[in-house]
Amino acid sequence: MKLGAWLGNLSLQKKLMILFALAGILPLVITFFATYGQLRDSVISRQSYAANQSFEQTLSLLSSKFSHIEEVSSMIMIDEQMNAVFSQDPDYMQVWEQLSAFERITDYTRILQTNSEMNGIVYYIDDGFVVTGPRAAMYRPIGRVEDLPWAQKIMAAKGDAVWVLAEDEASPSKTQLILGRVLWNVNDYSTPVGIVTIRVELGQLQSYVMNTAVEQLIYVETEDGEVVISNGQDELEHRQQLFTKQVTRERFEPVATDNKKYLVRDSRIGSTNLFLHSVISADLAAQAVNQVRNQVLIVYGAVCLALLVCIMPVTKSITRRIFLLMNKMSQVRQGRLSTLDIATQEDEVGHLVSSYNYMINSVKELMDTQYRLGQEIKGAELRALQSQINPHFLYNTLDMIVWMAQKDEKKNIQHVVYALSDYYKLILNKGEDFVTVKDELRLCEMYAAIQQKRFKGKIRFAIEVEQSAEACLLPKITLQPLVENAIVHGILEKPEGEGQIIIRGSTRDGRLQLTVSDDGPGIGTADTRTSKHRGSGYGLNNIRKRLEYYFNEPNGIDLRSLQGAGTTVYIDVPAIMKGTEEPDS
């Protein structure tokens, strides 16, 4: 459940990436493990084959060499004339007889020594022969060596060929590999008369074990565990214990010791008492496998990376448009309608984008139609409110003219009619709904002039408006009803019927601020008595509604009154200059 919820909350791009990764990379991973297993087996097989070939080649060369030397020793041992000389008692032979007999043996031996695979043939015979000597090249007294271990091993073999390691008596510091055989008395084959030894330099044998792999240790040792030659003397000490028994392994087999694993193989060299051993560290053997694994990993990693590089543009091409569409729909929720301006494509997402753009255009058309209808309704309502002002003002003015006619004030009637004509010229304003504050103040001046004629100069009128405020726009006939109310419900309510009206105006912080003040008794006093004059009693509400429609502000006008000190009407609306964008109307 948690996994399903987590997958469900992932973005579409991540879901597509996971899908493509599973579809593309997962088969690669499976293929990698299958391929790696085959490659590993192949590498191990090739490595094992190379190690076995190297081992068998070394074994074959050494077997051939040692077999040849053993054949030479057999030829000496079965030579009857040679053995007949060695079997004689030197005390019963003349010197010249000995020299003559050994001359033939020496010639024959030198012929055998011409073979480069040996370094010398030495006979150990009775000390009485005149040719023997402790440092002689070919004939040496057997009495000097018969107690030595290597000589005793040869004697114990009773005629069989025995390979031993021994120091050369002529060069005690020099160790040689020696093949030894017992020489028998031809008169009594149970009695030995000497030993024949064929010597091989260790350096000559060293080349046989050097042409192997670097990680392969190979060495030759005797049946007693004496190391003859090796291609890695430094590693012998801790690897010789792998061969506790002299056995023959036909192939490399795993052996573990000291928490380490090795591959070992050993074999007897021909029919000799020498053994060839080879050791390969399992770690070194695994290096080749690891190298192949790393190479395969690099190849598959590059393929996976290339696959991801190819997947990302595909997923981005799908999700980018959906992401843009999602952002646009979020903007629609915030009230910002805009189409998605991207290249049209014929896939499913492209059709979705086209449908979205069509829907937005349709909504815009509907909103424009609704706005236009709303503006028309609003304009009709404003014109209706506007029309409420003019008849009442005309009615009051005509009532004043009738009153003047009854008083026979012909001259005043003429001035009032002229003022009324100018007043209505300003009101018409070529059909415009907005006028400047300056024109609105002229309208108020004309209206005040008419009232001054009517009330014999008892109405004093003053204007204190800054020049910056005069250029601002107002709905026409905004200030005149306020002046009318100030006269009718303010000054005329005073006992003496005389007073002053002041219009003030300024701009502050992008707003137009106007006040219409009178020094009448205040609203509270006026409400408690019956008004003696009629005026446009609904003028304040009319102006409030018109300001709200024009400026979209519900609190554009406010009234404050202090009992006995007069009334002030405040107008606070945005300062819109003539020539700039006018308010909606």
Side-chain angles (χ1 to χ4, degrees):
M1 294 298 292
K2 291 184 179 180
L3 179 60
W6 177 76
L7 287 174
N9 292 328
L10 286 177
S11 64
L12 180 60
Q13 184 175 7
K14 292 180 179 178
K15 289 178 181 178
L16 290 175
M17 289 290 290
I18 293 174
L19 177 61
F20 287 143
L22 291 176
I25 296 178
L26 187 59
L28 284 177
V29 173
I30 297 174
T31 305
F32 163 74
F33 282 106
T35 304
Y36 170 68
Q38 294 179 353
L39 288 174
R40 179 191 59 193
D41 294 341
S42 176
V43 170
I44 293 174
S45 177
R46 288 201 306 268
Q47 190 179 39
S48 178
Y49 175 79
N52 281 312
Q53 285 294 101
S54 176
F55 183 89
E56 290 174 0
Q57 182 179 9
T58 303
L59 179 62
S60 176
L61 292 174
L62 290 174
S63 296
S64 176
K65 181 179 181 68
F66 294 156
S67 295
H68 177 72
I69 295 174
E70 287 182 350
E71 289 177 0
V72 172
S73 68
S74 296
M75 292 172 62
I76 294 173
M77 189 181 68
I78 64 175
D79 191 303
E80 292 184 358
Q81 294 181 1
M82 186 180 300
N83 285 314
V85 174
F86 294 147
S87 299
Q88 293 185 22
D89 188 349
D91 293 335
Y92 295 98
M93 293 182 67
Q94 297 295 326
V95 172
W96 62 270
E97 290 179 330
Q98 294 185 30
L99 293 176
S100 176
F102 278 101
E103 182 179 0
R104 191 192 71 81
I105 297 174
T106 301
D107 292 339
Y108 180 66
T109 303
R110 285 175 179 172
I111 293 173
L112 297 176
Q113 286 184 161
T114 56
N115 192 321
S116 60
E117 292 185 353
M118 64 185 72
N119 297 102
I121 300 176
V122 178
Y123 299 97
Y124 293 91
I125 56 179
D126 194 314
D127 300 359
F129 289 109
V130 294
V131 294
T132 61
R135 295 185 179 274
M138 189 175 297
Y139 305 104
R140 298 178 184 177
I142 192 172
R144 297 182 63 88
V145 299
E146 60 184 355
D147 293 331
L148 296 179
W150 64 266
Q152 291 181 354
K153 290 180 183 178
I154 296 174
M155 297 295 290
K158 296 182 179 180
D160 293 334
V162 178
W163 290 90
V164 294
L165 282 175
E167 293 181 351
D168 189 357
E169 301 94 295
S171 302
S173 61
K174 186 177 181 180
T175 302
Q176 293 180 321
L177 180 63
I178 298 174
L179 172 63
R181 279 180 178 269
V182 175
L183 297 173
W184 299 104
N185 191 329
V186 295
N187 300 316
D188 183 3
Y189 283 99
S190 63
T191 304
V193 294
I195 298 173
V196 60
T197 62
I198 301 176
R199 298 160 184 261
V200 180
E201 293 285 349
L202 297 183
Q204 183 182 354
L205 297 174
Q206 192 69 31
S207 60
Y208 287 85
V209 296
M210 295 307 296
N211 297 325
T212 57
V214 176
E215 65 274 7
Q216 183 178 5
L217 172 66
I218 189 167
Y219 63 97
V220 177
E221 71 175 3
T222 64
E223 198 170 21
D224 296 330
E226 294 178 297
V227 176
V228 179
I229 53 174
S230 170
N231 68 338
Q233 295 291 340
D234 296 337
E235 301 182 30
L236 284 174
E237 183 177 351
H238 66 277
R239 294 195 182 182
Q240 274 187 282
Q241 57 182 321
L242 296 172
F243 304 97
T244 56
K245 295 181 180 180
Q246 302 294 1
V247 296
T248 297
R249 295 180 176 91
E250 296 297 331
R251 62 181 58 84
F252 281 89
E253 298 178 2
V255 175
T257 180
D258 295 335
N259 297 324
K260 292 184 179 180
K261 294 181 179 179
Y262 300 92
L263 298 175
V264 300
R265 182 180 178 183
D266 50 4
S267 178
R268 182 185 294 273
I269 302 176
S271 60
T272 68
N273 62 322
L274 299 177
F275 289 85
L276 179 65
H277 301 290
S278 183
V279 182
I280 302 175
S281 172
D283 295 336
L284 292 174
Q287 285 182 358
V289 177
N290 293 337
Q291 184 178 4
V292 172
R293 179 198 62 194
N294 295 337
Q295 292 174 350
V296 174
L297 278 176
I298 291 173
V299 172
Y300 275 85
V303 173
C304 291
L305 183 61
L307 183 61
L308 288 176
V309 171
C310 295
I311 287 174
M312 291 181 67
V314 175
T315 57
K316 189 174 181 181
S317 66
I318 298 174
T319 59
R320 182 182 65 86
R321 292 175 294 164
I322 296 178
F323 182 74
L324 293 174
L325 184 60
M326 181 182 67
N327 288 341
K328 287 295 182 182
M329 295 183 74
S330 298
Q331 293 177 7
V332 171
R333 294 177 62 182
Q334 299 172 3
R336 294 179 292 172
L337 301 180
S338 60
T339 57
L340 193 56
D341 187 14
I342 59 176
T344 304
Q345 298 180 2
E346 295 300 324
D347 59 358
E348 290 79 359
V349 180
H351 286 296
L352 184 62
V353 172
S354 299
S355 300
Y356 167 80
N357 289 337
Y358 177 79
M359 179 188 67
I360 292 299
N361 291 328
S362 299
V363 171
K364 282 184 176 180
E365 291 178 3
L366 290 174
M367 292 182 66
D368 290 342
T369 302
Q370 184 179 9
Y371 176 78
R372 188 167 54 255
L373 293 175
Q375 291 298 312
E376 291 176 358
I377 294 172
K378 180 179 176 180
E381 291 179 350
L382 289 172
R383 284 189 289 274
L385 292 171
Q386 191 80 34
S387 65
Q388 292 176 1
I389 298 294
N390 296 332
H392 287 84
F393 172 73
L394 181 60
Y395 170 79
N396 291 336
T397 305
L398 292 176
D399 185 53
M400 180 181 66
I401 293 173
V402 170
W403 180 81
M404 289 181 177
Q406 291 176 352
K407 298 290 185 177
D408 199 19
E409 298 179 358
K410 297 179 181 180
K411 189 175 181 178
N412 288 336
I413 292 174
Q414 184 180 3
H415 288 301
V416 170
V417 171
Y418 284 145
L420 184 62
S421 176
D422 291 338
Y423 175 81
Y424 273 99
K425 285 180 182 179
L426 286 174
I427 287 178
L428 292 175
N429 193 29
K430 298 180 181 181
E432 297 293 334
D433 293 327
F434 277 86
V435 296
T436 62
V437 173
K438 183 177 181 180
D439 290 340
E440 188 71 12
L441 293 175
R442 286 180 58 199
L443 191 66
C444 292
E445 288 177 338
M446 294 176 186
Y447 175 77
I450 293 172
Q451 297 300 331
Q452 285 175 344
K453 293 292 184 180
R454 178 180 180 182
F455 297 108
K456 309 299 182 181
K458 292 183 178 181
I459 306 299
R460 297 186 301 278
F461 184 70
I463 297 175
E464 299 176 1
V465 178
E466 296 177 357
Q467 187 175 0
S468 60
E470 291 181 351
C472 296
L473 296 177
L474 275 178
K476 64 182 180 182
I477 318 178
T478 297
L479 298 179
Q480 181 271 327
L482 299 179
V483 174
E484 180 182 351
N485 287 339
I487 294 173
V488 174
H489 301 293
I491 295 173
L492 296 183
E493 293 296 331
K494 297 172 67 175
E496 64 275 16
E498 182 178 355
Q500 184 179 25
I501 299 173
I502 301 176
I503 299 177
R504 297 182 177 89
S506 63
T507 55
R508 297 289 185 274
D509 299 328
R511 298 190 70 82
L512 172 64
Q513 297 174 345
L514 297 170
T515 61
V516 179
S517 304
D518 65 69
D519 57 358
I523 293 179
T525 303
D527 289 343
T528 57
R529 70 177 79 176
T530 302
S531 176
K532 298 178 289 182
H533 304 276
R534 292 178 296 171
S536 55
Y538 47 81
L540 191 63
N541 289 330
N542 184 290
I543 294 169
R544 180 179 287 109
K545 289 181 180 179
R546 285 193 293 140
L547 292 178
E548 181 179 350
Y549 284 153
Y550 276 116
F551 295 103
N552 293 321
E553 291 188 2
N555 300 317
I557 187 169
D558 190 20
L559 184 144
R560 299 176 188 176
S561 180
L562 185 61
Q563 187 173 349
T567 302
T568 300
V569 178
Y570 296 87
I571 295 177
D572 187 356
V573 293
I576 301 175
M577 302 293 178
K578 188 174 183 180
T580 60
E581 183 179 357
E582 297 185 1
D584 298 332
S585 60

